[in-house]
Amino acid sequence: MILTTTAPVARRETQAFLDQQHQLLIDGQWMPAASGKTFEVTNPADGKTIAEVAEGDKADVDKAVAAARRAFETGPWPAMTASERGKLIWKLADLMEQHIEELAEIESLDNGKPKAVAAAADVPLAIDLFRYMAGWSTKIEGTTIPISVPYLEGAEFHSYTLREPVGVVGQIIPWNFPILMAAWKLGPALATGCTVVLKVAEETPLSALRLGHLIQEAGFPPGVVNIITGFGETAGAALSAHPDVDKIAFTGSTEVGKLIVKAAGDTNLKKVTLELGGKSPNIILPDADISAAISGAANAIFFNHGQCCCAGSRLFVHRSQYDQVVEGVAAEASKIKLGPGMHPDTNMGPMVSRIQQDRVCGYLDIGMQEGAKALVGGKRADSSGYFVEPTVLVDTHAEMKVIREEIFGPVVAAVPFDDIDEVIATANDTIYGLAAAVWTKDISQGHRIAKRLKAGTVWMNCYNVFDASLPFGGYKQSGWGREMGYEAISLYTQTKAVTLQIG
Ligand code: ADP
């Protein structure tokens, strides 16, 4: 299943970027960490070091927040018109488009995902998000509100609202879609006129650093976007506890999400939006188009190696179709070619790190001990890279860890069901509520089920469909707030009510 051939080398410009000294972007300048420390970035396909980046911590976060504050209050940024802001964001998207191949290679070498996928999905989605948000810059409006105040009889007023940027935003992003998560965060912040300190994931800092160069080339004023590479417990924690940060937007684990909320509460009650874990149910009804449902179920769990917060990791299939579907998904899994992301034939790359590989395999071991059986896969693949075989688990039951906890790898647990009420109850029996899917030809039934599923996204007869205009986020412990769409704009702005007495 592992491709043994070595992957093609990176393009010249990609290699030149990797070989650079990678520093922090603060106040429009690239600079080393105050401590002088650096850390190594590895290619998860072979464990080899591909770059060395600055290890920012509290001192650097303090500097970056001060720069973002200056840029927000007095820089050219607040004086720019919404149209000028929109043009800059659009220009950034154009620059990214000119560098798609390079950005995709950086993403593949750093994260492990197939370059072809990064070039077809991650980078174009990021570009599209920036363009979508560029359009919003000029459409952020308040309202006029007729008021009548009972204790001021006869007085007349003119009341209206302004939607103003929240201010200095700390953004902390994960490693599963590095450039796309950077875009989801930066897009609405820039469209609304906020300034940003972006803390990228320590596993995958490189594409955001390349983006930092493009941000400078586009002409954003100094301090509007500051980029910190470093670790969560130091740089991330310093950002979430910083007294001069107005909002934290976080994507990552539910566990760290709770720490962020606590840090906000213990300091300045900064606003917090969170996009956290999931254990999304994918429900196949007996009348579904079974072959579409099988390939959809495989895509739901194996896309991005299962390293998706919305991965369809619990597969509920009506008992009448159960054997056919699980065997079909297992057959899809065995066709997947594992290999380095840079190899053109690779369908699935390695897990992002040894830690993630161990974590996923730990769940597999526990699952088997608890009585689950792997119809296909079930173990790490024999390689110097961090590969895990795509896995379909059967004979699972509701109390198993593989059913209850987020694995964040290419592992789906299949469960048969007999009736709709039962499957909806089981699907909703989770602390998470990020996404869900239902496969059926009975569209009315599909809509009824969509309404009863406790999830921020419900896909019908499809999976993993994203668009910059569709709000994405979680019910329950999957998060607070939404990303993308107008909802993201609203969460980077705050409302001011202004009242004038006119008579
Ligand atoms: P994962 O376990 O998948 O790596 P995390 O939630 O740990 O997900 O990481 C997501 C992001 O949160 C990363 O940028 C990481 O550095 C950051 N992070 C981790 N721990 C903390 C923390 N205590 N405070 C703030 N950010 C953190």
Side-chain angles (χ1 to χ4, degrees):
M1 210 182 250
I2 291 267
L3 296 170
T4 48
T5 39
T6 43
V9 293
R11 304 155 76 88
R12 202 152 33 90
E13 61 267 34
T14 307
Q15 196 54 51
F17 169 72
L18 295 177
D19 293 342
Q20 276 179 25
Q21 213 187 353
H22 298 286
Q23 301 188 316
L24 313 172
L25 180 60
I26 299 178
D27 211 7
Q29 304 290 324
W30 293 98
M31 58 182 76
S35 66
K37 286 197 213 160
T38 60
F39 65 99
E40 290 180 347
V41 180
T42 52
N43 175 353
D46 56 16
K48 294 198 178 123
T49 301
I50 49 170
E52 193 159 328
V53 302
E55 185 188 328
D57 60 22
K58 183 173 182 310
D60 307 289
V61 166
D62 287 347
K63 254 196 260 176
V65 172
R69 175 58 62 193
R70 272 195 305 280
F72 183 73
E73 305 293 347
T74 59
W77 187 239
M80 285 172 89
T81 63
S83 169
E84 286 168 331
R85 278 204 314 273
K87 268 196 225 161
L88 280 180
I89 301 171
W90 195 277
K91 188 161 177 205
L92 174 60
D94 286 347
L95 288 170
M96 290 171 73
E97 203 157 51
Q98 288 163 25
H99 294 275
I100 285 189
E101 288 291 307
E102 181 194 348
L103 289 167
E105 287 191 350
I106 294 170
E107 206 71 325
S108 173
L109 289 163
D110 198 1
N111 165 281
K113 66 180 70 197
K115 176 190 162 186
V117 173
D122 301 57
V123 185
L125 281 170
I127 293 169
D128 193 54
L129 186 289
F130 278 121
R131 292 207 172 115
Y132 171 85
M133 290 297 172
W136 267 117
S137 304
T138 47
K139 293 159 198 75
I140 299 166
E141 298 171 343
T143 49
T144 54
I145 302 171
I147 64 167
S148 53
V149 186
Y151 54 85
L152 295 172
E153 209 179 316
E156 279 184 58
F157 299 95
H158 173 57
S159 290
Y160 62 94
T161 59
L162 297 172
R163 284 204 78 85
E164 297 182 336
V166 158
V168 173
V169 183
Q171 305 186 319
I172 302 176
I173 56 172
W175 44 259
N176 57 344
F177 292 93
I179 201 163
L180 186 56
M181 292 301 101
W184 283 21
K185 294 281 182 281
L186 291 171
L190 297 172
T192 52
C194 294
T195 59
V196 173
V197 178
L198 176 70
K199 207 300 276 173
V200 298
E202 48 270 47
E203 294 85 353
T204 55
L206 298 175
S207 55
L209 291 175
R210 187 66 188 95
L211 191 63
H213 291 277
L214 298 180
I215 285 169
Q216 287 188 299
E217 198 178 328
F220 284 89
V224 171
V225 177
N226 305 274
I227 302 178
I228 301 286
T229 48
F231 293 90
E233 303 74 26
T234 49
L239 193 54
S240 50
H242 200 292
D244 202 29
V245 167
D246 299 307
K247 165 183 164 106
I248 290 279
F250 171 76
T251 297
S253 60
T254 293
E255 192 190 350
V256 173
K258 290 181 181 177
L259 295 178
I260 304 251
V261 169
K262 185 160 188 324
D266 288 345
T267 54
N268 62 340
L269 264 186
K270 51 181 71 67
K271 289 156 182 54
V272 176
T273 48
L274 304 168
E275 206 257 274
L276 307 174
K279 192 74 191 173
S280 299
N282 188 16
I283 302 170
I284 300 182
L285 300 190
D287 71 330
D289 171 341
I290 292 299
S291 80
I294 288 172
S295 63
N299 163 52
I301 186 63
F302 299 132
F303 176 64
N304 210 40
H305 327 164
Q307 300 172 136
C308 300
C309 40
C310 58
S313 51
R314 290 181 300 149
L315 175 61
F316 296 103
V317 190
H318 190 266
R319 203 175 294 280
S320 62
Q321 311 288 344
Y322 181 77
D323 289 342
Q324 190 189 344
V325 170
V326 291
E327 277 157 28
V329 177
E332 296 273 330
S334 27
K335 280 190 252 162
I336 291 174
K337 292 194 196 113
L338 291 181
M342 289 291 285
H343 196 290
D345 293 340
T346 291
N347 307 125
M348 186 187 281
M351 301 285 97
V352 74
S353 64
R354 171 79 67 201
I355 292 176
Q356 284 304 315
Q357 185 194 34
D358 288 345
R359 190 163 167 251
V360 173
C361 293
Y363 273 113
L364 289 172
D365 293 344
I366 294 171
M368 316 282 187
Q369 281 158 25
E370 290 182 338
K373 220 172 69 204
L375 212 56
V376 64
K379 59 182 189 322
R380 72 189 67 217
D382 192 17
S383 160
S384 57
Y386 313 134
F387 295 91
V388 175
E389 294 180 352
T391 300
V392 177
L393 293 179
V394 293
D395 296 347
T396 59
H397 64 75
E399 295 315 313
M400 284 181 176
K401 270 188 192 266
V402 291
I403 289 283
R404 304 216 72 80
E405 295 183 18
E406 184 177 41
I407 298 177
F408 225 65
V411 181
V412 65
V415 185
F417 70 88
D418 294 298
D419 77 80
I420 303 268
D421 287 340
E422 169 209 337
V423 75
I424 290 173
T426 328
N428 286 335
D429 178 21
T430 164
I431 61 165
Y432 297 113
L434 194 57
V438 54
W439 299 79
T440 178
K441 287 192 192 124
D442 180 345
I443 296 308
S444 301
Q445 174 82 290
H447 284 294
R448 279 194 296 273
I449 293 175
K451 203 165 169 199
R452 293 173 66 189
L453 288 168
K454 295 196 165 77
T457 288
V458 178
W459 286 297
M460 244 188 272
N461 296 335
C462 58
Y463 209 99
N464 283 332
V465 177
F466 293 97
D467 188 89
S469 58
L470 274 177
F472 181 78
Y475 280 34
K476 298 191 268 182
Q477 293 188 41
S478 286
W480 287 358
R482 295 292 178 270
E483 302 205 86
M484 303 198 286
Y486 174 71
E487 298 223 15
I489 293 291
S490 81
L491 290 165
Y492 281 87
T493 52
Q494 51 196 344
T495 304
K496 179 181 283 173
V498 182
T499 295
L500 164 78
Q501 182 156 2
I502 53 176

